[in-house]
Amino acid sequence: MRTMKIEPRSALESGTKRVDPLLWLIPLVLSSLGILMVTSTTSPGSFEVAGTPFTMGIRQLQWLGLGMVAMFISFCIPSRFWYRASGFFWICSVLFVLVTLIPGVGTSVGGAKRWIRLAGVSIQPAEVLTLAVVFLAAKLAVRNELNPAKCFYQYLMVIVISCVPLMLQPDLGSTILVVMICMGMYVERFGWQRPLFFGVFGVGLLGLFIFFEPYRMRRVMAFLDPWQDPLDTGFQTIQGLIAFANGGAWGSGLGHGFQKLNYLPAAYTDFIYAALGEELGLIGTLSVLVLCLMWVMRGRSLYNRVPEGFETSVVWGVILTIILPFFINIAGVTNLMPLTGMPLPFISYGGSALVMVWVRVGALLRIQKESPRVPA
């Protein structure tokens, strides 16, 4: 369990309220790169439909502007508000996910009802739910500091109630993310013993979910041997690997990718990392990884300096909600694990995902501002 260090009063007072600029500058660089890649990968189709290659890029830029506003609003909300409202926020987010299942309200894409369309804009409630889970899990950890067993059972309750509507959509990727967030936050506070036991059971349950759902089994088979069916189940994986091969070390140049021309599916969403690898090469893909790791290091520094309590768990949980999808997406695109359909944070096209990830950044900045132990 993490122990709190007591600093002398003079050390506490010597801290500053200024926020770490890298916590928002690195995401801004990644989001800007995402706008460039979205524009590049969608330019042929956009030009045919709208007569301009910049349609999707402009939309993503607009979402980024809205995300920056959302970050500022999140930054203005005190941490104590999230502590008090975490339960209500979580219940509302679960109900928000259930709304997608109402006929005529939820939007079906690829056989899954994961979106709600309002005023011509698609919103994915699961993005709100994952953040709500972080706040609630952080509060439960603080309230059950001396009773790890009770906290674990409460986490299981949060997992079940959160994941049932997600599985009804179905959205296995978000389901896995919720489980990993809760278990990761429990480990941060209480250790590995119970999560390891639950993990063995969870892997078996996950195997059943995959075995009895044909499209999930096809994804697993495509992961094991994509060349067994290169024109169907293995098509996405193969085309992604071809994109990386085409890019080489230096890339074909921004806007000069070949795979985006109706070869690489979802080139501006799930497979945008592969499209980036083709156009910007190994240098581009490694740069994205380095930026991500730099951001995690700044988040880790904040985690180490925030006084023990609710804010500590929130920082850890927010980092998990960004870093886990980041590496799950990259692992799927590079065929290190089966595809989950999880977008790449900050970079993939998507309005609600981009806005909510900036809300997380705003929450971190607020916690840093409130903490007297964070130096300049």
Side-chain angles (χ1 to χ4, degrees), residues 53 59 207 271 277:
R59 288 181 185 175
F271 274 80

Side-chain angles (χ1 to χ4, degrees), residues 20 296-306 319 374-375:
D20 182 357
V296 171
M297 290 174 62
R298 299 313 304 162
R300 177 70 180 182
S301 177
L302 173 61
Y303 168 84
N304 287 331
R305 295 175 182 276
V306 171
I319 292 174
V374 180

Side-chain angles (χ1 to χ4, degrees), residues 59-362:
R59 288 181 185 175
Q60 189 73 344
L61 179 60
Q62 293 171 338
W63 281 115
L64 175 58
L66 187 58
M68 299 296 286
V69 173
M71 178 189 69
F72 177 76
I73 295 174
S74 177
F75 175 73
C76 293
I77 299 176
S79 299
R80 63 179 180 273
F81 170 83
W82 294 118
Y83 180 85
R84 296 170 181 171
S86 58
F88 178 75
F89 181 35
W90 173 68
I91 292 173
C92 290
S93 65
V94 171
L95 295 176
F96 193 29
V97 174
L98 285 171
V99 170
T100 62
L101 305 176
I102 300 176
V105 178
T107 302
S108 180
V109 178
K113 288 188 174 182
R114 304 174 187 173
W115 293 268
I116 298 173
R117 194 161 184 83
L118 297 173
V121 176
S122 293
I123 301 173
Q124 189 171 7
E127 298 289 345
V128 181
L129 177 60
T130 53
L131 181 58
V133 166
V134 168
F135 288 129
L136 180 60
K139 180 177 181 177
L140 293 176
V142 172
R143 295 182 64 177
N144 296 283
E145 183 73 33
L146 302 179
N147 195 341
K150 181 180 179 181
C151 184
F152 186 75
Y153 295 135
Q154 290 179 346
Y155 273 29
L156 291 182
M157 178 195 70
V158 172
I159 289 173
V160 171
I161 297 176
S162 299
C163 291
V164 167
L166 290 174
M167 290 302 297
L168 292 175
Q169 289 183 338
D171 186 354
L172 184 60
S174 295
T175 301
I176 294 174
L177 184 59
V178 167
V179 174
M180 294 178 71
I181 289 170
C182 287
M183 292 298 100
M185 293 182 69
Y186 184 89
V187 168
E188 178 267 336
R189 182 71 61 163
F190 301 109
W192 287 92
Q193 184 176 2
R194 290 182 176 86
L196 280 177
F197 176 79
F198 177 76
V200 174
F201 172 77
V203 169
L205 189 62
L206 178 62
L208 291 177
F209 280 128
I210 293 174
F211 182 78
F212 289 106
E213 190 63 55
Y215 84 91
R216 293 183 187 133
M217 277 299 298
R218 288 195 296 269
R219 285 188 175 183
V220 172
M221 297 308 296
F223 160 68
L224 296 174
D225 185 9
W227 294 99
Q228 184 178 7
D229 191 1
L231 298 180
D232 188 11
T233 56
F235 185 77
Q236 284 183 307
T237 300
I238 292 172
Q239 296 305 316
L241 296 176
I242 290 174
F244 286 116
N246 289 345
W250 303 102
S252 60
L254 188 64
H256 295 281
F258 180 76
Q259 289 298 104
K260 66 187 179 184
L261 302 176
N262 297 323
Y263 289 97
L264 182 63
Y268 62 101
T269 53
D270 300 347
F271 274 80
I272 197 167
Y273 193 69
L276 187 149
E278 182 179 25
E279 299 194 354
L280 301 182
L282 182 63
I283 297 299
T285 56
L286 289 181
S287 297
V288 170
L289 288 176
V290 169
L291 286 171
C292 178
L293 291 176
M294 286 177 59
W295 186 85
V296 171
M297 290 174 62
R298 299 313 304 162
R300 177 70 180 182
S301 177
L302 173 61
Y303 168 84
N304 287 331
R305 295 175 182 276
V306 171
E308 179 73 10
F310 174 75
E311 291 81 3
T312 305
S313 291
V314 169
V315 170
W316 178 245
V318 167
I319 292 174
L320 288 178
T321 64
I322 295 177
I323 198 66
L324 288 175
F326 200 96
F327 285 104
I328 288 174
N329 175 278
I330 292 176
V333 171
T334 55
N335 203 36
L336 296 177
M337 65 174 288
L339 295 170
T340 61
M342 195 169 290
L344 191 63
F346 296 113
I347 299 177
S348 291
Y349 179 82
S352 57
L354 187 60
V355 170
M356 289 307 301
V357 81
W358 278 101
V359 169
R360 290 160 168 78
V361 173

Side-chain angles (χ1 to χ4, degrees), residues 44-67:
S46 295
F47 188 80
E48 291 180 5
V49 175
T52 173
F54 306 114
T55 303
M56 299 295 283
I58 291 174
R59 288 181 185 175
Q60 189 73 344
L61 179 60
Q62 293 171 338
W63 281 115
L64 175 58
L66 187 58

